[in-house]
Amino acid sequence: MKKITRFIMLTLTLSLVLSLAGISYAQDDEYCLGLGEDDCELYYELIENASLPSSTAFELAIGFDGSIEENDNDPEEFSASFDISGAYVVDEDAIEDAFEEFSDVDLLDASPRAFLNLFRGTVAGFDAELEIDYMFDEQMGVPPIGPFNLWLVDGVGYVDFAPFSMFDPSLTGVYGLDMFDLIEFPLENIEMGDIFDAISDMGNSFDMSDFDEDTFSADNPDNPFASAMPVVLSEEEIATFVTVERADDDTVDGVDVVVFVTEIDLGAAMEVDAIIAQAYQSAVQADLPEDISEEDFAAALAEGLAGSTITVTEKIDSETGITMQTTVDANITLDIAAFSALSGEQEEGSAVFNMTMDFSRSDVNAIDAIELPENAEEIPVEALFGGF
């Protein structure tokens, strides 16, 4: 049973990804999936006109819990949560200046320093701060040593070492390092022409005769990447397991938002031929027993995931199209009996997995700068080579 469960959990994860990929196809092709004509038009108009904010604060909360219960054994339960908060500010002028400076450089005569300066200028135009905290069940053995605080200011990354003081009391303070300075030294006398020549020499020794246009086709069963390629679904196929509706308008951080709710039925998704074919191929590549047919595998997935859903709630600024809040609720119950039957065994029980992810913005386009703590100190790269 344990071996079969391993395959099923793999394909379950894949199924979730594929189902969400179907949503992206629906948005690209403007499938309404249950929305009225006016609401559907509004939804895609907001998406098309949306732009990323130049500054914002944000919070991301992720929590999950579950249990595995087999036969009459006591259930094995688990839970964990992650809380991430922060803010960022984008200096669009600084990024534009970095690209303008690079545009004057001849590509083949450019030194890696020119590329490094481009990356340095781009990253320097993006300042951010981040706080990460977590909590795991005690039996999972992960010590609660957070929260962790990180900053990126003027291209320098900073870390608050306070959480690590429980291992070494001397680990305190906020220290930063410019990674671009760190990698600049070995690039002093190299030009891009030399790199292109080296790549060309590698290409001349690489035999491409074993590859053709069908090698990486999704229809090729020997394609090692086939299980990771997106499934192309029609509107009719997506509509069998995805519905979208408009909920009551709301406000987030004082901003008027329109609300759309997408419901994904995982059990129904397992009855879509294209999804089943890819899920089965993934399991076969992971050594699923050869005597399990695709038909039996599909029936087990559909039965085992019956009633499992993912709900995505989007709250979108009605003026700017910026998504102010996104909530994902996954409620998945895996019927073990349906999968144990594949191997001719009789097992009873279930594996339950619940996850909630909530992402929200505040102070959109209202943050002027990211401020470092007063005790923050940048470590010169030379100190890493010469000692502290």
Side-chain angles (χ1 to χ4, degrees), residues 61-75:
I62 303 173
F64 63 87
D65 63 79
S67 64
I68 301 176
E69 184 175 358
E70 293 185 71
N71 298 321
D72 296 326
N73 298 327
D74 292 334

Side-chain angles (χ1 to χ4, degrees), residues 149-335:
N149 289 279
L150 312 170
W151 295 264
L152 179 64
V153 176
D154 295 331
V156 180
Y158 294 84
V159 177
D160 184 352
F161 283 88
F164 303 101
S165 62
M166 66 178 297
F167 304 110
D168 184 344
S170 66
L171 293 174
T172 59
V174 178
Y175 296 97
L177 182 67
D178 189 325
M179 296 302 297
F180 294 102
D181 284 347
L182 183 64
I183 64 178
E184 188 171 12
F185 290 100
L187 302 180
E188 208 50 57
N189 298 311
I190 301 177
E191 292 186 353
M192 290 307 297
D194 300 329
I195 295 177
F196 286 134
D197 288 341
I199 294 175
S200 177
D201 291 339
M202 292 174 58
N204 291 334
S205 63
F206 188 71
D207 186 6
M208 295 292 292
S209 61
D210 294 334
F211 298 88
D212 57 34
E213 60 182 7
D214 296 324
T215 299
F216 300 109
S217 168
D219 298 326
N220 180 9
D222 297 323
N223 176 6
F225 304 106
S227 61
M229 300 178 71
V231 174
V232 178
L233 301 176
S234 67
E235 181 177 8
E236 290 74 18
E237 289 174 317
I238 296 173
T240 62
F241 65 94
V242 177
T243 58
V244 184
E245 65 177 14
R246 181 174 175 180
D248 293 338
D249 293 352
D250 200 354
T251 59
V252 176
D253 193 43
V255 176
D256 293 332
V257 295
V258 291
V259 183
F260 294 93
V261 180
T262 300
E263 187 86 13
I264 304 170
D265 184 334
L266 292 177
M270 294 304 100
E271 297 179 9
V272 176
D273 291 342
I275 293 180
I276 282 298
Q278 192 172 53
Y280 181 72
Q281 187 175 24
S282 175
V284 168
Q285 291 179 349
D287 298 327
L288 183 74
E290 295 181 357
D291 58 345
I292 297 178
S293 68
E294 182 175 333
E295 182 179 357
D296 291 340
F297 183 76
L301 275 177
E303 179 183 350
L305 286 169
S308 297
T309 61
I310 299 177
T311 303
V312 182
T313 303
E314 300 170 275
K315 298 185 177 183
I316 306 173
D317 185 336
S318 57
E319 296 294 330
T320 66
I322 294 173
T323 300
M324 296 296 297
Q325 184 175 18
T326 300
T327 303
V328 179
D329 289 305
N331 299 285
I332 301 167
T333 300
L334 191 66
D335 184 357

